Amino acid sequence: MPVTTFEGIVRNGQVRLIGNAALPENATVYVVVPLNSTTLPPANIDLESLLNKMPTNFQVNEEEFGPPQGKEVW
């Protein structure tokens, strides 16, 4: 499927295309967001702060996934 790119800006929750770009009604579009977007989670997640959010009575349980399905060895 051939594709082309357009630049746009989000205003009031809607993507506004820059320039004379016009798309046909009901066109299928794909939105690619740059990594520097403020809507993405922070890249440096602090493990200690995540662990501090866990309940103090949290217990780890072993999970059973059934018999081997391939060549894995346990």
Side-chain angles (χ1 to χ4, degrees):
M1 158 180 41
V3 297
T4 188
T5 59
F6 298 96
E7 187 175 352
I9 298 174
V10 177
R11 290 204 175 114
N12 297 321
Q14 296 181 349
V15 176
R16 306 286 182 176
L17 298 178
I18 296 174
N20 295 331
L23 300 175
E25 197 66 30
N26 297 317
T28 300
V29 297
Y30 302 93
V31 178
V32 178
V33 180
L35 289 178
N36 63 356
S37 171
T38 59
T39 59
L40 296 176
N44 55 347
I45 298 174
D46 182 29
L47 181 58
E48 186 173 354
S49 67
L50 291 175
L51 291 173
N52 289 335
K53 293 179 183 180
M54 292 178 60
T56 55
N57 61 347
F58 180 77
Q59 294 292 316
V60 177
N61 297 320
E62 186 173 338
E63 296 292 330
E64 177 61 44
F65 296 99
Q69 298 296 309
K71 296 181 181 180
E72 64 268 26
V73 178
W74 299 101

